[in-house]
Each structure stands twice: as structure tokens, then as C-alpha cells.
Amino acid sequence: MSTITVVGSMNMDIVLQVDAFPKPGETIAGKGTKMNPGGKGANQAVAAARLGGNVKMLGAIGEDSFSEQLLHSLKKDQIQINDIVQKNSTSGLAFITVAENGDNHIVLEEGANGELTVEDVRERLDFTNKNQTILLQNEIPWNVNECIIKEASANQIPVYLNPAPAKEIPSELYPLLTGIFLNESEANMLTGVEVRDRHSVQEAIDILLQRGTEEVIITMGKDGAYYADNSGEFFHTTASDVRVVDTTAAGDTFIGAYLVMFTEGKSPKERIEFSSKAAGITVTRSGAQESIPRMGEVQL
């Protein structure tokens, strides 16, 4: 089976439940706090592994009490962790406030994630191995992502980018990407189009395809997901009709699920439908990694 190589962040998520978000200057009572392993890179790796993928994680942790917990959370899902680097710093932290309606606010402290270097990656990532697909996010230094995108493309290795948190992508990198995953705000930031409906989604997608990427996937929460590629295929898939508890890892679940279906050679429609089902399960549960479903739970 083709390997899914995730290069990205690992965080300890400190999750605070509240009735509603406080206004500026307001103090409110919390309804409970949990500490759970997270980070976009780790969450996407866990999602891919639980949904049947052969997954390898590359990233950085600190020398603190959280590092063993972060590694253990990956190992228990059979994710390869031999290439994770330990830095003389703190591990990444995410402070997440979740409101009663399931919305969340997140503040990131990058910690060791911000210390991953190009040299770390070059020593550990085998660019001669074409039997892999690489998945990236924006919670590690951009120069590391840029190096990987260029090397992967030069070696004909598929590479997908989830540019979250959103930041500009140099124009010369778009043609090197196999695909890009975006939510509404990320699509707006990268294209200048306020994504609200099918027409505006099509407009944003056209801009991104014209820049050269092969596939564009835009996720819109309860409004489903859109797929388009440079062959002219374009379609929309509806979201699952479920009671939303917590949206924290929904996007990460969608992306991990998609990569599994991609490496199994499934069609774009099969990939999106499976990913939407998996994400629909995630939002019915609290937390990040603990909310991500396993293959047997996702019924098409």
C-alpha cells in the first residue's frame, strides 16, 4: 500500500468548554477543561491511519511533559514515528474554546513545530520513494513546506497542501501541487473571493486552477464540499445531517480520509463522499483526535 507521509504539527490541545464566547473584557465561567493531543498534522495523520491508510509522521516535539503523550497518541494508531525530531523547547500548544453550539476559537503556540528545519526534512524524507503521497499544512515553517513541494514535484511524488492557518502561496508553487484543501476563509484569503454559494465557489476555484494546481477541494461545513480539477470536473457533495457537538477536527478528518481514498485509487466523487461521511461523524463528538472515526464507522 502506498504511504501517506504527513509533515506537520503536533500540539497538546487545551480545550475549554463554554456556553458562549466571552465579549472583549468579559469574564465568564468555563464548563470543563480537557487536554488532548492535536495539531493539524497529527490530526490528519490519525484520521488517515484510522481510516485504513499506511501513515508516516514527520515533525517536531519538545522536551517537556507533553512529548511522550504526543508520541503515544500516534503510536497507538500504528503511525510510523521514527522520523519525529525532538527539539530543546516546549511542544506545540493549542488553546481551544468550544461554545455550546459547536463553534470554536483557537490560539496556537507553535513551540517545537516552529523549529523544524529543511535539514531535518532532508535527512529524514526519502524523495526517491515514489510510492508515497505527501500531505502538508501551515503549522510548520513555510521554507520547510516550500522545500518539500519543490522536491516532491521534481520526483513526481503527489503532494497536497492544506494552507491553514491561511497565508499567501508563491505563484510558482501552485503548478507543483497535486491538490489544495481550503475552507471558506482560506479560499477568501488566497483568492479575494468571498465564498458563500456555488457561484462564488466556482469563481474561487477557477482562480486557483488557473494558477496551476491540479485539484481544488473547498469544504464549507454544513454546506458540504466542492471539488474541481484541471480536467474540467466540478461537483458538490452535501454534508451529513447530524447534530453538531464540536467542529474541532472535522476538516482534518476530511483531509485524512481523502488521502486514503486517493492512495487507494478511488474516483474524485468517491473520495469526497467518503471524506464528507467521516467528517460528519467527527462533528458529533467532542475533542480533536478522540473524535476521529475508524473505517468501520464510515458507511457509504
Side-chain angles (χ1 to χ4, degrees):
M1 180 188 292
S2 177
T3 299
I4 298 168
T5 303
V6 181
V7 187
S9 58
M10 292 165 282
N11 296 324
M12 183 57 72
D13 291 349
I14 300 172
V15 184
L16 176 65
Q17 301 283 340
V18 296
D19 287 323
F21 300 128
K23 300 180 179 66
E26 181 185 13
T27 300
I28 63 172
K31 298 177 67 178
T33 302
K34 294 180 180 178
M35 290 193 289
N36 306 308
K40 286 189 178 297
N43 291 347
Q44 291 171 19
V46 168
R50 288 187 186 170
L51 295 167
N54 176 31
V55 183
K56 173 181 177 180
M57 182 79 201
L58 198 165
I61 54 171
E63 292 181 344
D64 54 25
S65 59
F66 296 132
S67 60
E68 281 304 313
Q69 293 171 264
L70 295 175
L71 291 177
H72 176 71
S73 71
L74 300 174
K75 282 167 56 176
K76 70 182 182 182
D77 282 305
Q78 287 76 55
I79 295 168
Q80 301 170 50
I81 61 170
N82 295 340
D83 292 326
I84 292 175
V85 189
Q86 190 160 39
K87 299 290 185 178
N88 182 25
S89 64
T90 59
S91 296
L93 295 171
F95 301 91
I96 304 172
T97 306
V98 182
E100 192 172 32
N101 66 0
D103 288 342
N104 63 64
H105 287 171
I106 303 174
V107 178
L108 285 177
E109 170 53 53
E110 64 180 7
N113 296 309
E115 297 183 21
L116 189 69
T117 67
V118 168
E119 291 71 27
D120 291 331
V121 168
R122 288 192 182 280
E123 287 174 12
R124 293 165 175 82
L125 192 53
D126 181 7
F127 289 107
T128 67
N129 176 18
K130 291 183 170 57
N131 191 33
Q132 66 177 319
T133 299
I134 297 175
L135 175 59
L136 306 169
Q137 315 79 31
N138 276 350
E139 291 183 348
I140 58 174
W142 176 252
N143 67 325
V144 175
N145 277 348
E146 190 165 0
C147 167
I148 293 169
I149 292 167
K150 289 177 178 177
E151 291 285 349
S153 176
N155 288 279
Q156 299 177 308
I157 297 169
V159 57
Y160 282 83
L161 174 65
N162 171 217
K167 62 179 71 174
E168 292 289 348
I169 300 170
S171 58
E172 68 270 16
L173 294 186
Y174 280 96
L176 309 184
L177 292 170
T178 306
I180 186 167
F181 297 97
L182 304 158
N183 62 21
E184 303 103 304
S185 63
E186 291 150 7
N188 174 240
M189 190 271 174
L190 289 179
T191 67
V193 176
E194 187 178 343
V195 173
R196 305 177 308 278
D197 51 26
R198 187 182 184 91
H199 175 75
S200 54
V201 167
Q202 180 77 70
E203 186 180 355
I205 283 173
D206 286 346
I207 291 170
L208 294 165
L209 290 176
Q210 286 166 14
R211 291 176 185 172
T213 188
E214 293 179 34
E215 298 177 358
V216 178
I217 301 100
I218 297 182
T219 57
M220 299 184 65
K222 62 181 175 56
D223 293 324
Y226 288 84
Y227 172 93
D229 61 32
N230 58 9
S231 74
E233 185 159 11
F234 175 87
F235 61 84
H236 171 250
T237 297
T238 58
S240 301
D241 184 13
V242 297
R243 178 180 175 271
V244 175
V245 173
D246 181 0
T247 62
T248 300
D252 296 329
T253 300
F254 184 100
I255 292 167
Y258 186 96
L259 264 287
V260 173
M261 294 293 101
F262 174 80
T263 58
E264 291 184 359
K266 302 297 186 183
S267 70
K269 186 147 281 193
E270 288 173 311
R271 298 176 215 164
I272 296 291
E273 287 178 352
F274 179 78
S275 301
S276 296
K277 292 282 188 182
I281 295 171
T282 297
V283 301
T284 66
R285 304 167 176 174
S286 296
Q289 288 174 21
E290 67 268 36
S291 70
I292 297 170
R294 299 182 184 278
M295 176 64 90
E297 301 177 81
V298 185
Q299 302 297 325
L300 287 178

